Amino acid sequence: MDTGCLSSMDITGAKQARTFAGQLPTQRCFSSGHHMSVAMKSLVLRNKGKRLHRRLGGLKVVCQDFPRPPLESTINYLEAGQLSSFFRSSEHPSKPLQVVIAGAGLAGLSTAKYLADAGHKPILLEARDVLGGKIAAWKDKDGDWYETGLHIFFGAYPNIQNLFGELGIEDRLQWKEHSMIFAMLNKPGEFSRFDFPETLPAPLNGIWAILRNNEMLTWPEKVKFAIGLLPAMAGGQPYVEAQDGLTVSEWMKKQVQLFLSVIVVVHVQEKHGSKMAFLDGNPPERLCMPIVDHIRSRGGEVRLNSRIKKIELNPDGTVKHFALTDGTQITGDAYVFAAPVDIFKLLVPQEWNEIMYFKKLEKLVGVPVINVHIWFDRKLKNTYDHLLFSRSSLLSVYADMSVTCKEYYDPNRSMLELVFAPAEEWIGRSDADIIDATMEELAKLFPDEIAADQSKAKILKYHVVKTPRSVYKTVPNCEPCRPLQRSPIEGFYLAGDYTKQKYLASMEGAVLSGKLCAQSIVQDYNKLSLRSQKSLQSEVPVAS
């Protein structure tokens, strides 16, 4: 079958039937292996909110995630696979480099993974007691997980898709229908959809989705949008980067760089690029640990609770070692800093401050991010098995994770995970203030089910995760400030989504930056190996 709806697998992988009758009119489901007929949909509408398998005798509605899209033939996927094969096919050295990497987010994990594939020994240091960086998550006293952010895996993330394949965990992505769904503020309780037809190639499928939507865009707006899209379609990624020098007012007139990047890289260039998938559970265990296991199986190390205190230098300005807060000194043949740019800027040695490569980093500043999780006392009916765009002034996107994610599945209660943005004015406010504001926004969107005073759906518990400095802010002229992974300091490298790669701040950008960083180190093997030999010789005492 090519279509489906609600997730069909529990965390053990066993098939599972679900009966959310209230969702069926807007979802695609199967009854006894066939599409529901028009008559059956009418019957569902008349019996909305009732349990179908009891009401309708022997009928049982079985729903499942959508199949993984055929990504392997796309140019970006093949290019990403070719870069991965560079490490596996490179000649493994008789004397591997020992590479010290600070930061076990996706950039650091990616760097370590591909260095290990090339036969080298990474030592990955993470300051906290949890893996993942910007995709970290924690388990509360009830055993429920709460995350740093709401993470979506696009079809147009070729390096991430290759990574899942290389680790043998492609089945951990839960693919959703090819749509973008918006909650309508002017029509509370209703949604507006952009549905991408499977029969059309890109960019026609995206254009068709836009033309078919009449709730959000008028025809003059559609024409204006199409005209604005033409140069992006023709120019591709170079056109996106060329918009970097615009002022804010010019930005608003022409399109925001992030919007252009999504349109060009995700929607326009690949048929399945805008398809979305959720991870089937918490990121540290379901994504990060397989990478760690892979690294360790090839002789690498991953250490938690190893915070960098200082980057100590040699007299020539190169790195001598990483000094940790516990007094430990970690030495290597090469060093990588894969933590966020704001953390790195705090640790840049004074001797490097006037080097333009490091000086330009001052332009890159992380923005605050707030992620909200709310567990309700009931199953919300007005939701989807998908990412939802809220169009609210405070809630950008959200999802009912009790429906979209296997590990978080709950047939009786909803758990909404919401991105609270913009967060600048709220990052210093109390969690209670943020929850109150969130409930007020949700009440506007879904007045039939949610009230700000909790007179309807009641909050069982909540978690608010604040990240004061997260992804870097895309402001005019910041693109030239993004550094290459190979620094001007011999033996020192950077990785992170802020470094130079063709994606903006994203999981895909982080993974690609790690691959590019690892590639630079492998290419520099002879130089780094010779440097290490000279260093060892200088340490040998001269006989008198």
Side-chain angles (χ1 to χ4, degrees), residues 413-484:
R413 299 178 182 86
S414 286
M415 189 276 272
L416 296 189
E417 184 172 344
L418 311 104
V419 177
F420 192 99
E424 285 88 350
E425 297 179 9
W426 290 86
I427 196 72
R429 302 278 289 272
S430 69
D431 290 356
D433 285 347
I434 292 169
I435 291 297
D436 288 345
T438 300
M439 288 296 288
E440 288 178 7
E441 292 300 308
L442 289 174
K444 296 175 188 175
L445 292 169
F446 312 110
D448 292 342
E449 296 190 88
I450 297 176
D453 62 1
Q454 297 188 50
S455 58
K456 297 176 181 178
K458 292 178 172 54
I459 297 176
L460 296 177
K461 66 176 179 180
Y462 62 81
H463 287 292
V464 177
V465 180
K466 300 176 182 176
T467 306
R469 293 288 180 92
S470 183
V471 297
Y472 72 91
K473 188 175 184 178
T474 51
V475 296
N477 298 312
C478 72
E479 188 64 27
C481 299
R482 297 175 70 186
L484 295 172

Side-chain angles (χ1 to χ4, degrees), residues 335-513:
Y335 299 85
V336 177
F337 212 94
V341 64
D342 292 286
I343 294 176
F344 175 60
K345 286 191 293 186
L346 295 174
L347 292 170
V348 173
Q350 186 175 355
E351 294 88 336
W352 295 354
N353 281 340
E354 295 307 311
I355 299 174
M356 189 54 63
Y357 175 90
F358 300 104
K359 200 170 185 178
K360 288 192 298 185
L361 296 179
E362 291 303 317
K363 183 83 172 179
L364 303 177
V365 179
V367 298
V369 171
I370 298 175
N371 207 45
V372 177
H373 310 70
I374 302 178
W375 283 260
F376 288 98
D377 66 343
R378 65 196 67 184
K379 199 73 178 178
L380 300 175
K381 297 175 183 178
N382 206 353
T383 186
Y384 275 84
D385 179 16
H386 213 301
L387 177 74
L388 299 172
F389 298 82
S390 78
R391 302 192 73 198
S392 135
S393 60
L394 288 177
L395 308 175
S396 57
V397 293
Y398 71 96
D400 186 345
M401 299 299 281
S402 70
V403 173
T404 61
C405 175
K406 261 193 302 193
E407 186 178 7
Y408 304 160
Y409 168 65
D410 188 329
N412 302 313
R413 299 178 182 86
S414 286
M415 189 276 272
L416 296 189
E417 184 172 344
L418 311 104
V419 177
F420 192 99
E424 285 88 350
E425 297 179 9
W426 290 86
I427 196 72
R429 302 278 289 272
S430 69
D431 290 356
D433 285 347
I434 292 169
I435 291 297
D436 288 345
T438 300
M439 288 296 288
E440 288 178 7
E441 292 300 308
L442 289 174
K444 296 175 188 175
L445 292 169
F446 312 110
D448 292 342
E449 296 190 88
I450 297 176
D453 62 1
Q454 297 188 50
S455 58
K456 297 176 181 178
K458 292 178 172 54
I459 297 176
L460 296 177
K461 66 176 179 180
Y462 62 81
H463 287 292
V464 177
V465 180
K466 300 176 182 176
T467 306
R469 293 288 180 92
S470 183
V471 297
Y472 72 91
K473 188 175 184 178
T474 51
V475 296
N477 298 312
C478 72
E479 188 64 27
C481 299
R482 297 175 70 186
L484 295 172
Q485 288 74 31
R486 181 188 286 113
S487 87
I489 305 300
E490 189 174 290
F492 184 78
Y493 303 81
L494 294 177
D497 57 13
Y498 70 93
T499 62
K500 188 66 176 175
Q501 36 81 23
K502 67 179 181 177
Y503 298 90
L504 296 177
S506 62
M507 293 184 291
E508 172 68 9
V511 171
L512 176 55
S513 78

Side-chain angles (χ1 to χ4, degrees), residues 6 18-25 50 379 402-403 409-412:
L6 302 176
R18 301 187 185 180
T19 54
F20 294 104
Q23 289 186 310
L24 294 180
K50 300 178 181 178
K379 199 73 178 178
S402 70
V403 173
Y409 168 65
D410 188 329
N412 302 313

Side-chain angles (χ1 to χ4, degrees), residues 308-323 329-331 335 337 344 347-355 358 487-493 531 535:
I308 307 297
K309 180 181 179 180
K310 188 177 182 182
I311 302 173
E312 295 280 4
L313 302 184
N314 292 308
D316 64 356
T318 58
V319 178
K320 183 179 182 181
H321 58 249
F322 282 172
Q329 297 177 352
I330 310 295
T331 60
Y335 299 85
F337 212 94
F344 175 60
L347 292 170
V348 173
Q350 186 175 355
E351 294 88 336
W352 295 354
N353 281 340
E354 295 307 311
I355 299 174
F358 300 104
S487 87
I489 305 300
E490 189 174 290
F492 184 78
Y493 303 81
R531 178 174 169 270
S535 177

